[in-house]
Amino acid sequence: MSSLIRVRQHEVGLWFRHGDFRALLRPGAHWMPGRYFRGDHVELVDTLQNEFTHELLDLLLLDHEVREQLLVVELADHERALLWKDGRLARILGPGRHAFWKTRHELRAEIYKTDAVRFEHDKLDVVLSRLPTAAFFEDMRVAADHRGLVFVEGERLDSFGPGVYAFWKGAGRLTFAVVDLRERVADVAGQEIMTADKVTLRVNAVITHQVTDPQLAVSVVSDTEQALYRETQLALRAAVGGRPLERLLADKEAVGAEVRDAVALRAKAFGVAVRGVGIRDLVLPGDMKTILNQVILAQKQAEANVIRRREETAAARSQANTARLLADNPLLARMKELEALQDILAGTKATFVFGAGDVASQLRSLVRDAVQEEGEEK
């Protein structure tokens, strides 16, 4: 007596006798021996469930026919694999033995060693976006004008330009740093500093800087912005504290240049170039402002008096020179008298008749008589 076993198109049968594997049953009808129900049994496996797992997998793979029906991927502890199904990424495989039915799909496995740390693939975007990859990869995205650094167990692996990068987990302790290479501006505001002549004022400065060596920027200091802020504070105190207020106000540019040189020397050690330092504000206390304004006003008044005296002296000197010239040149004096007479008579309709003699003397006599008459009337 025999029994009929039907294996559907999407199934295979695993025939066991007394717990030992006997044969693989392909889709179709199979007549089993009469003793089937006494020591034999058949397990029907759905091949649409692509991955095949079984407690006796190692034993089953010894059978040539079973092996032909499966794609078997065996991975060591330092290996991973990408499983492609009909040209599409299906899974990422970790260490161990994996078996997949290939009877209904085209399967392909790409095996990678995690010793290389970095994972490179021409379809990296697909790998990182199509599947949950957090268990296998750590990714780093570097924007334009930035530089990415990767460290394994504290040792630098490499530096990377703009782009997307992936690294295998389990290859060591990974650390990432993305450094901005653009020029940046930082404010150093509200610094209370005492000048050499004991005047306390508040200084606001601005520093322009740019990272030139990303490796130093992340390994020498933990935060380049804070390091620059601290160094600028110290340099400001040294530059301002060594000058009296008058010198400080007269040449802020010199203070900025001194601070820039001091900070640039220190910043170079942690991979940063200082492009410029400027003193934006010098804020004086209220009473000091009043005193300073009074001093400036007094200085300007003194300067105005000096200018006035200088001009008066120049005018007197010019008059003396003119008088000396007229005394030495009677003809020139005569011409000056005629010019004066012309100015006096300009715009009048009076008629004067002069007799013989010196016209200027006659004119002076007329003026003197007019003054006397005016006095008598009063």
Side-chain angles (χ1 to χ4, degrees), residues 112-127:
Y112 295 87
K113 296 185 183 299
T114 60
D115 297 345
V117 183
R118 181 183 173 188
F119 169 68
E120 298 182 73
H121 200 282
D122 56 357
K123 295 182 178 180
L124 180 61
D125 291 340
V126 174
V127 175

Side-chain angles (χ1 to χ4, degrees), residues 34-51:
R35 295 176 56 84
Y36 171 70
F37 290 105
R38 296 181 182 179
D40 297 351
H41 73 277
V42 175
E43 293 182 13
L44 298 178
V45 180
D46 185 357
T47 58
L48 295 179
Q49 301 295 325
N50 206 228
E51 184 173 11

